[in-house]
Amino acid sequence: MSTQFMARESERNSTLPPVEKARMVRALVDELIPGGDGWPSASEAGVHGIVSLRVLGEWSEEQIGRLAALLGWETGGLSSGDAAERVSAVRSMETADPDLFDKLYTAIVLAYYETPFVVEAIRSTGRPYSIRPHATGYAMAPFDFSRDTPNHGRGHYLKTDDVKPVDTSTLDLDTNRTERWGVER
């Protein structure tokens, strides 16, 4: 995290009370992901807490105050009872600081789709969904030659029994080491 967003201990005394900060973050996440039709709103899924821990927890009071000002929190923008006023406040913040908006929006969306309530909502649509697919994978039907053999005319298909190992003996892999990774190695 950049030092720009790191809070110093001396900046921990808030000008915006904790209850108001929580309300502001809850209102922001719900404005971006309101929920409906069997889907929980972002705050119903607990996204405001996750975003507060992951993003806002290290911010200074000055940064929290700037976010509140950008959202018009204390002047009836995002805190307004009027939906159009709230949308306008969030759009105004996005225009004024697109990088900050993108950072918060990304954190909110990622947090939303990893909550158990949203995972359940996704699964209830009949789609397989796992928070950690790399650990459990997704169920797949066994390879079927009649169904899965390429027939598009590009490339070719090689049966497993016809696969031959590539000779790497000339590469001297026991002593040669890659020192730089990436495109420019």
Side-chain angles (χ1 to χ4, degrees):
M1 180 170 284
S2 79
T3 55
Q4 171 185 347
F5 288 97
M6 298 292 285
R8 293 186 296 271
E9 284 303 313
S10 63
E11 298 172 328
R12 293 275 184 193
N13 294 329
S14 177
T15 55
L16 194 62
V19 169
E20 283 303 301
K21 288 180 193 174
R23 287 183 183 138
M24 177 179 66
V25 175
R26 189 171 48 238
L28 176 60
V29 301
D30 280 347
E31 202 56 47
L32 294 173
I33 306 177
D37 295 328
W39 293 79
S41 70
S43 69
E44 289 169 336
V47 170
H48 58 297
I50 297 169
V51 170
S52 295
L53 285 169
R54 291 183 183 165
V55 180
L56 305 179
E58 297 297 322
W59 281 16
S60 69
E61 290 307 317
E62 180 181 312
Q63 291 162 309
I64 298 287
R66 182 169 182 272
L67 177 62
L70 285 169
L71 292 169
W73 181 251
E74 296 179 292
T75 58
L78 182 60
S79 60
S80 173
D82 178 39
E85 190 68 31
R86 292 191 308 271
V87 168
S88 176
V90 174
R91 282 193 179 139
S92 163
M93 180 250 190
E94 179 182 16
T95 301
D97 194 335
D99 291 337
L100 176 61
F101 177 83
D102 185 57
K103 179 179 182 170
L104 290 172
Y105 180 73
T106 300
I108 290 165
V109 170
L110 290 174
Y112 184 74
Y113 284 101
E114 72 180 16
T115 63
F117 315 108
V118 176
V119 169
E120 184 179 348
I122 293 169
R123 288 178 182 159
S124 73
T125 67
R127 293 184 212 122
Y129 187 80
S130 174
I131 294 175
R132 296 172 196 85
H134 61 281
T136 58
Y138 288 101
M140 295 180 67
F143 186 85
D144 178 347
F145 285 98
S146 63
R147 180 191 67 217
D148 299 323
T149 303
N151 59 11
H152 47 64
R154 298 181 312 270
H156 64 279
Y157 170 76
L158 189 61
K159 293 180 181 176
T160 302
D161 294 338
D162 295 337
V163 173
K164 304 284 187 253
V166 175
D167 179 17
T168 60
S169 62
T170 60
L171 298 177
D172 197 22
L173 294 176
D174 292 335
T175 57
N176 287 335
R177 299 281 183 244
T178 300
E179 293 183 21
R180 288 181 42 186
W181 293 97
V183 177
E184 297 179 22
R185 60 179 180 180

